[in-house]
Amino acid sequence: MLRTLRPIASLLGGTAILLLGVGLLNTLIPLRGDTYGYSNTLLGGLTSAYYEGYLVGTFAIPPLVHRIGYIRTFAFCTASVACVVLLHALSHAPLLWLVLRLLAGIVLVGLYMLIESWLNASAQPGRRGSVFAAYMVVNLGALALAQQLLRIDGQPFVLFTVVALPICAAPLPLAAPRRAQPVLQPTPGPRRNRVL
Protein backbone atom coordinates (compact mmCIF):
# COMPACT_ATOMS: atom_id res chain seq x y z
CA MET A 1 0.00 0.00 0.00
CA LEU A 2 2.83 2.40 0.85
CA ARG A 3 4.40 1.75 -2.55
CA THR A 4 1.10 2.67 -4.15
CA LEU A 5 0.72 5.92 -2.19
CA ARG A 6 4.33 7.15 -2.29
CA PRO A 7 4.08 8.63 -5.84
CA ILE A 8 0.93 10.58 -4.92
CA ALA A 9 1.85 11.56 -1.35
CA SER A 10 2.56 15.18 -2.29
CA LEU A 11 -0.75 15.44 -4.13
CA LEU A 12 -2.63 13.97 -1.17
CA GLY A 13 -0.78 16.37 1.15
CA GLY A 14 -1.73 19.37 -0.98
CA THR A 15 -5.30 18.11 -1.12
CA ALA A 16 -5.49 17.79 2.67
CA ILE A 17 -4.20 21.33 3.15
CA LEU A 18 -6.61 22.69 0.52
CA LEU A 19 -9.61 20.95 2.08
CA LEU A 20 -8.79 22.34 5.52
CA GLY A 21 -9.52 25.78 4.11
CA VAL A 22 -12.43 24.76 1.89
CA GLY A 23 -14.12 22.78 4.66
CA LEU A 24 -13.99 25.78 6.96
CA LEU A 25 -15.18 28.11 4.19
CA ASN A 26 -18.26 26.05 3.41
CA THR A 27 -19.31 26.21 7.07
CA LEU A 28 -18.25 29.80 7.62
CA ILE A 29 -20.29 31.28 4.74
CA PRO A 30 -23.75 30.39 6.11
CA LEU A 31 -22.70 31.21 9.67
CA ARG A 32 -21.45 34.67 8.69
CA GLY A 33 -24.46 35.18 6.42
CA ASP A 34 -26.76 34.45 9.36
CA THR A 35 -24.78 36.90 11.51
CA TYR A 36 -25.25 39.58 8.83
CA GLY A 37 -28.99 38.96 8.80
CA TYR A 38 -29.23 37.25 5.42
CA SER A 39 -32.59 35.60 4.79
CA ASN A 40 -32.91 31.85 4.31
CA THR A 41 -33.63 32.53 0.65
CA LEU A 42 -30.38 34.45 0.26
CA LEU A 43 -28.43 31.75 2.10
CA GLY A 44 -29.93 29.19 -0.28
CA GLY A 45 -29.01 31.46 -3.18
CA LEU A 46 -25.39 31.52 -2.00
CA THR A 47 -25.32 27.73 -2.08
CA SER A 48 -26.98 27.67 -5.50
CA ALA A 49 -24.46 30.18 -6.87
CA TYR A 50 -21.65 27.96 -5.61
CA TYR A 51 -22.97 24.93 -7.48
CA GLU A 52 -23.73 26.97 -10.58
CA GLY A 53 -20.02 27.79 -10.47
CA TYR A 54 -19.37 24.05 -10.51
CA LEU A 55 -21.25 23.78 -13.77
CA VAL A 56 -19.37 26.69 -15.35
CA GLY A 57 -16.02 25.42 -14.05
CA THR A 58 -16.40 22.04 -15.72
CA PHE A 59 -16.23 23.87 -19.06
CA ALA A 60 -13.85 26.72 -18.13
CA ILE A 61 -11.00 24.92 -16.37
CA PRO A 62 -10.07 21.99 -18.71
CA PRO A 63 -8.83 24.30 -21.50
CA LEU A 64 -6.67 26.07 -18.91
CA VAL A 65 -5.13 22.74 -17.85
CA HIS A 66 -4.32 21.93 -21.47
CA ARG A 67 -2.76 25.34 -21.97
CA ILE A 68 -0.59 25.63 -18.83
CA GLY A 69 -0.47 22.15 -17.23
CA TYR A 70 -1.54 20.60 -13.96
CA ILE A 71 0.76 22.30 -11.46
CA ARG A 72 0.33 25.82 -12.83
CA THR A 73 -3.45 25.39 -13.04
CA PHE A 74 -3.47 24.13 -9.46
CA ALA A 75 -1.50 27.20 -8.34
CA PHE A 76 -3.73 29.52 -10.40
CA CYS A 77 -6.92 28.07 -8.93
CA THR A 78 -5.70 28.09 -5.33
CA ALA A 79 -4.57 31.72 -5.64
CA SER A 80 -7.96 32.60 -7.14
CA VAL A 81 -9.86 30.87 -4.32
CA ALA A 82 -7.72 32.64 -1.70
CA CYS A 83 -8.51 36.03 -3.29
CA VAL A 84 -12.22 35.21 -3.40
CA VAL A 85 -12.17 34.15 0.27
CA LEU A 86 -10.48 37.36 1.39
CA LEU A 87 -12.93 39.48 -0.61
CA HIS A 88 -15.74 37.98 1.51
CA ALA A 89 -14.13 39.62 4.54
CA LEU A 90 -14.03 43.08 2.99
CA SER A 91 -17.76 43.48 2.44
CA HIS A 92 -20.97 41.68 3.29
CA ALA A 93 -23.01 43.05 0.39
CA PRO A 94 -25.30 40.18 -0.70
CA LEU A 95 -24.79 40.68 -4.44
CA LEU A 96 -21.01 40.62 -4.04
CA TRP A 97 -21.24 37.42 -1.99
CA LEU A 98 -23.37 35.78 -4.69
CA VAL A 99 -20.74 36.62 -7.32
CA LEU A 100 -17.93 35.43 -5.03
CA ARG A 101 -19.68 32.12 -4.37
CA LEU A 102 -20.08 31.62 -8.12
CA LEU A 103 -16.36 32.30 -8.65
CA ALA A 104 -15.43 29.99 -5.77
CA GLY A 105 -17.47 27.20 -7.34
CA ILE A 106 -15.76 27.67 -10.70
CA VAL A 107 -12.21 27.38 -9.40
CA LEU A 108 -12.91 24.76 -6.73
CA VAL A 109 -14.50 22.34 -9.17
CA GLY A 110 -11.42 22.93 -11.31
CA LEU A 111 -9.22 21.93 -8.39
CA TYR A 112 -11.28 18.80 -7.73
CA MET A 113 -11.07 17.84 -11.40
CA LEU A 114 -7.31 18.36 -11.36
CA ILE A 115 -6.79 16.31 -8.22
CA GLU A 116 -8.96 13.42 -9.34
CA SER A 117 -7.63 13.27 -12.89
CA TRP A 118 -4.07 13.46 -11.55
CA LEU A 119 -4.79 10.58 -9.18
CA ASN A 120 -6.38 8.61 -11.99
CA ALA A 121 -3.39 9.19 -14.27
CA SER A 122 -0.89 8.33 -11.53
CA ALA A 123 -2.52 5.11 -10.32
CA GLN A 124 -1.87 1.76 -11.89
CA PRO A 125 -5.11 0.26 -13.19
CA GLY A 126 -5.15 -2.48 -10.55
CA ARG A 127 -4.52 0.03 -7.73
CA ARG A 128 -7.06 2.74 -8.54
CA GLY A 129 -9.47 1.54 -5.87
CA SER A 130 -6.77 1.82 -3.18
CA VAL A 131 -5.67 5.23 -4.43
CA PHE A 132 -9.18 6.66 -4.42
CA ALA A 133 -9.92 5.09 -1.03
CA ALA A 134 -6.88 6.92 0.37
CA TYR A 135 -8.07 10.10 -1.35
CA MET A 136 -11.50 9.82 0.28
CA VAL A 137 -9.93 9.25 3.71
CA VAL A 138 -7.81 12.39 3.23
CA ASN A 139 -10.81 14.29 1.84
CA LEU A 140 -13.26 13.47 4.62
CA GLY A 141 -10.61 13.69 7.35
CA ALA A 142 -9.53 17.18 6.28
CA LEU A 143 -13.15 18.38 5.99
CA ALA A 144 -13.91 17.07 9.50
CA LEU A 145 -10.75 18.61 10.95
CA ALA A 146 -11.59 21.94 9.30
CA GLN A 147 -14.69 22.28 11.47
CA GLN A 148 -12.46 22.48 14.54
CA LEU A 149 -10.98 25.70 13.17
CA LEU A 150 -14.31 27.42 13.94
CA ARG A 151 -13.12 27.52 17.55
CA ILE A 152 -10.66 30.26 16.62
CA ASP A 153 -12.23 33.42 17.92
CA GLY A 154 -11.77 36.89 16.53
CA GLN A 155 -13.09 39.48 14.13
CA PRO A 156 -14.78 38.29 10.92
CA PHE A 157 -11.58 38.91 8.98
CA VAL A 158 -9.66 36.46 11.18
CA LEU A 159 -11.59 33.34 10.16
CA PHE A 160 -11.52 34.30 6.48
CA THR A 161 -7.75 34.65 6.81
CA VAL A 162 -7.60 31.23 8.49
CA VAL A 163 -9.46 29.86 5.44
CA ALA A 164 -7.15 31.60 2.95
CA LEU A 165 -3.87 30.49 4.57
CA PRO A 166 -4.15 26.71 3.96
CA ILE A 167 -5.59 27.34 0.50
CA CYS A 168 -2.50 29.44 -0.32
CA ALA A 169 -0.25 26.71 1.12
CA ALA A 170 -1.90 23.84 -0.80
CA PRO A 171 0.35 24.09 -3.91
CA LEU A 172 3.57 23.92 -1.87
CA PRO A 173 3.76 20.09 -1.59
CA LEU A 174 3.17 19.83 -5.35
CA ALA A 175 5.78 22.40 -6.30
CA ALA A 176 8.60 20.93 -4.19
CA PRO A 177 8.98 17.29 -5.38
CA ARG A 178 10.66 16.43 -8.64
CA ARG A 179 7.94 14.02 -9.68
CA ALA A 180 6.56 14.71 -13.11
CA GLN A 181 3.00 15.82 -13.55
CA PRO A 182 0.76 13.67 -15.73
CA VAL A 183 1.15 13.95 -19.47
CA LEU A 184 -1.86 15.63 -21.03
CA GLN A 185 -3.61 13.49 -23.57
CA PRO A 186 -5.30 15.14 -26.54
CA THR A 187 -9.06 15.19 -26.15
CA PRO A 188 -11.30 14.49 -29.11
CA GLY A 189 -13.49 17.30 -30.33
CA PRO A 190 -17.23 16.99 -30.88
CA ARG A 191 -18.24 14.83 -33.81
CA ARG A 192 -20.29 16.39 -36.51
CA ASN A 193 -22.78 14.15 -38.20
CA ARG A 194 -22.82 14.58 -41.91
CA VAL A 195 -26.04 14.18 -43.76
CA LEU A 196 -25.39 12.45 -47.08
Side-chain angles (χ1 to χ4, degrees), residues 11-90:
L11 179 59
L12 291 176
T15 300
I17 295 168
L18 172 72
L19 291 175
L20 276 175
V22 172
L24 178 57
L25 177 66
N26 289 337
T27 304
L28 183 60
I29 292 294
L31 291 177
R32 283 291 179 232
D34 187 55
T35 302
Y36 296 143
Y38 290 175
S39 67
N40 288 338
T41 303
L42 179 55
L43 290 173
L46 291 172
T47 302
S48 296
Y50 179 69
Y51 289 107
E52 287 168 10
Y54 266 42
L55 179 63
V56 173
T58 58
F59 296 100
I61 300 299
L64 185 64
V65 178
H66 282 277
R67 195 164 52 244
I68 64 175
Y70 278 80
I71 293 174
R72 287 186 180 134
T73 304
F74 194 93
F76 174 85
C77 288
T78 52
S80 300
V81 173
C83 291
V84 165
V85 167
L86 293 174
L87 285 170
H88 279 92
L90 297 179

Side-chain angles (χ1 to χ4, degrees), residues 52-154:
E52 287 168 10
Y54 266 42
L55 179 63
V56 173
T58 58
F59 296 100
I61 300 299
L64 185 64
V65 178
H66 282 277
R67 195 164 52 244
I68 64 175
Y70 278 80
I71 293 174
R72 287 186 180 134
T73 304
F74 194 93
F76 174 85
C77 288
T78 52
S80 300
V81 173
C83 291
V84 165
V85 167
L86 293 174
L87 285 170
H88 279 92
L90 297 179
S91 170
H92 59 270
L95 183 59
L96 175 64
W97 273 41
L98 284 167
V99 170
L100 293 175
R101 291 303 285 159
L102 177 76
L103 293 173
I106 292 169
V107 290
L108 282 172
V109 79
L111 285 166
Y112 299 145
M113 283 189 305
L114 276 170
I115 291 164
E116 292 175 13
S117 68
W118 195 332
L119 288 171
N120 193 41
S122 300
Q124 297 172 355
R127 300 285 184 179
R128 283 201 177 106
S130 299
V131 166
F132 278 91
Y135 167 65
M136 290 309 298
V137 168
V138 167
N139 189 324
L140 297 174
L143 291 174
L145 184 60
Q147 305 313 304
Q148 303 308 311
L149 297 175
L150 283 170
R151 297 172 187 242
I152 298 172
D153 199 16

